[in-house]
Structure formats: C-alpha cells, structure tokens
Amino acid sequence: MKEGQKLWTRNELILTINLYYKLPFGRLHRLNPEVIHLANLIGRTPDAVAYKLVNFASLDPSLKARGIKGASNTSKLDVEIWNEFFNNLNVLAFESEKLLANTEHISIEQLNHIPEFQLIKEGKTREQLVEVRVNQSFFRKSILASYNNTCCITGIQQPELLIAGHIKPWSVDKENRLNPQNGIAINALHDKAFENGLLTITTDFKIKISPTLFKQKKSKSIEDYFLKLDNQDIILPTKFLPDMEFLKYHNEVCFKQ
C-alpha cells in the first residue's frame, strides 16, 4: 500500500460489489456517473472505485470462463467479500441495499422506488414485503446490466419491454432466486413462452422451439415470432453467463418436447 492510502473497509467493499452487480461490464470505469457517485459517498476517488470494480470482475467465474481478466492484484478481503456475496446473495443483496440506503440517508423504500401506498404501515408483513420487492429489484438490475438492457432472444433494447426471467423457476429453487446466472433478459412475449416450456435455451446457448408450436396449424405470427427463431444463437450477456445446470433443468423439465 502506498503511503497515505487507507485500507478499504468491509462496508465500502459491500457497496462496491453491490454496484458491480448493477453495472454492465463495459461501464466499470472512472467516468461513469454511478461510479463517481459511489466514490463521493464513501470518500474514495472514482479511480479507486473503478479499480475495485475491475478487481471483482477478475473474480467473476463467468468472465474467467470466457478468458476475460480483470486486475491481477486483488486483496484477500476482496476475495472474501466476493465469495461471501456471491455465495449468499439471498441475504447479502438485501443487506447491501440497506447499507446503501443508510449511506445515502434515505429509506430503502425510497432507494428502490417502492410507493408507500403499495405497503402496509408497519409490522413484520411490511418488512417481508419490502425485502421481497427490494430483492426483485436487485435481481432485475443485475440481469439487465449483464445483458446490456438487451433481450437475449430478439435484441430489443427498451427496458420497459424487458423482464428479468428465471431459468430455473422461482418457485422451484429458493436458493438461486437472486443468482444472476439463473436469469435472462427477455421480452414479455418470449418470457411467457419460456415460462410455459414453449421455448428453451440449450446448453450451447441456442434457442429451441417446442414441437408443440411446430405441430400447430401454421400462422404468420407463430412463424415470425417463434418458428424462425429455432436454432438461432441467443445474445449472450457480458457477465454472469447462464449456468449450465439451470439450462439443463429447463431443457429437461420445463420444455415441452
């Protein structure tokens, strides 16, 4: 460590990894307004925050699998925080959002744009509802960031039309509800088809359309919106590639053969 530098704290690193999940890979740089904002919040320089973001990128297994390297001198604490966060997202996603709200001096409801009229006034039920909404928001942000706000099926880039879909359904796998490798950015129509097994994504990242649709009486809409997509490559995310085991589950259990 250079003279005059201060050690990073656990809270600073938790806030930085929270931001890592929400940023596209190409925006982990010092000129990004979100990087500058976090730097100001924690009393660091944008360069220092950007460097930590790249450190975390070097620990991201999906980037390693693609041969993409980040910084080479991550600290022991960087590795500990990455492992803690990555392996315990169901707890730490919400904890990091609470920490960010406290640092911003606003409520977690305000941070996540949850209107008061959608919540009851107080009590455990309210806390549970807030946690669910915050976690859903965190998952959506991490998925859309990974896919650069782009539908993996069609290339649509209008966020209002995109859904952060689960590969292995929310109801089936509680432990991986927030895992970005269990998510895809997908438009609402194809999300519904994916959810109902009318299309799947193979382990080599190709779209596969269900025989159910091929057997239907042909219509131009089914041909244009589904059949033409069969065997095409999806648009891959820049980080957090879909996990092979989740894709296999969808292929074998959810997909209508």
Side-chain angles (χ1 to χ4, degrees):
M1 180 185 298
K2 294 179 182 178
E3 187 176 348
Q5 286 185 331
K6 60 178 181 176
L7 289 171
W8 280 72
T9 66
R10 181 180 186 278
N11 281 355
E12 288 172 342
L13 290 173
I14 288 289
L15 290 173
T16 305
I17 199 171
N18 173 288
L19 182 59
Y20 175 81
Y21 271 71
K22 298 175 184 176
L23 289 182
F25 180 70
R27 298 192 63 204
L28 309 179
H29 57 76
R30 64 183 179 85
L31 299 179
N32 183 343
E34 292 172 87
V35 172
I36 294 169
H37 179 68
L38 178 60
N40 290 334
L41 276 181
I42 64 177
R44 296 279 179 178
T45 66
D47 282 300
V49 172
Y51 196 73
K52 279 298 177 188
L53 289 168
V54 176
N55 280 357
F56 286 133
S58 74
L59 300 171
D60 188 328
S62 63
L63 294 181
K64 286 182 180 179
R66 295 168 60 193
I68 298 173
K69 296 181 180 179
S72 58
N73 57 342
T74 55
S75 71
K76 182 180 178 182
L77 186 56
D78 292 344
V79 176
E80 288 177 2
I81 294 297
W82 172 270
N83 289 335
E84 183 182 357
F85 204 92
F86 187 77
N87 294 318
N88 199 21
L89 264 175
N90 282 353
V91 173
L92 283 180
F94 185 64
E95 291 300 317
S96 68
E97 288 291 289
K98 285 201 297 185
L99 177 60
L100 180 57
N102 288 337
T103 307
E104 294 267 20
H105 302 295
I106 58 176
S107 71
I108 196 167
E109 293 88 346
Q110 290 172 308
L111 179 69
N112 285 271
H113 308 292
I114 305 172
E116 272 298 320
F117 73 84
Q118 295 181 1
L119 300 169
I120 61 175
K121 290 189 179 293
E122 57 187 14
K124 191 170 183 179
T125 302
R126 176 192 171 100
E127 293 172 8
Q128 291 170 338
L129 180 57
V130 168
E131 183 170 354
V132 168
R133 291 286 301 275
V134 169
N135 284 342
Q136 288 173 338
S137 175
F138 182 89
F139 181 74
R140 175 178 169 80
K141 288 173 184 175
S142 66
I143 295 302
L144 294 193
S146 295
Y147 284 82
N148 293 305
N149 291 305
T150 302
C151 170
C152 71
I153 302 291
T154 63
I156 288 171
Q157 292 185 313
Q158 193 68 28
E160 295 89 345
L161 300 177
L162 299 180
I163 288 170
H166 285 83
I167 301 169
K168 195 170 183 182
W170 172 280
S171 59
V172 171
D173 192 344
K174 182 179 179 181
E175 293 304 312
N176 286 292
R177 286 178 173 178
L178 301 185
N179 184 347
Q181 292 187 276
N182 188 31
I184 50 173
I186 187 169
N187 72 83
L189 173 64
H190 290 107
D191 175 66
K192 195 70 175 176
F194 186 81
E195 188 179 280
N196 286 281
L198 294 174
L199 71 82
T200 193
I201 296 169
T202 64
T203 54
D204 56 353
F205 304 120
K206 290 187 179 294
I207 302 163
K208 188 174 182 181
I209 302 300
S210 170
T212 301
L213 291 180
F214 277 100
K215 290 173 185 175
Q216 275 191 18
K217 183 180 178 181
K218 297 295 187 291
S219 71
K220 190 174 187 306
S221 57
I222 292 294
E223 176 71 26
D224 289 345
Y225 296 132
F226 291 99
L227 304 189
K228 285 182 179 179
L229 296 171
D230 193 49
N231 209 39
Q232 289 189 17
D233 294 325
I234 68 164
I235 298 168
L236 291 173
T238 54
K239 55 191 177 92
F240 296 127
L241 280 169
D243 185 276
M244 292 294 107
E245 293 304 313
F246 300 144
L247 291 175
K248 284 179 185 176
Y249 180 92
H250 195 274
N251 297 168
E252 295 169 6
V253 178
C254 304
F255 185 58
K256 293 178 178 176
Q257 300 288 348

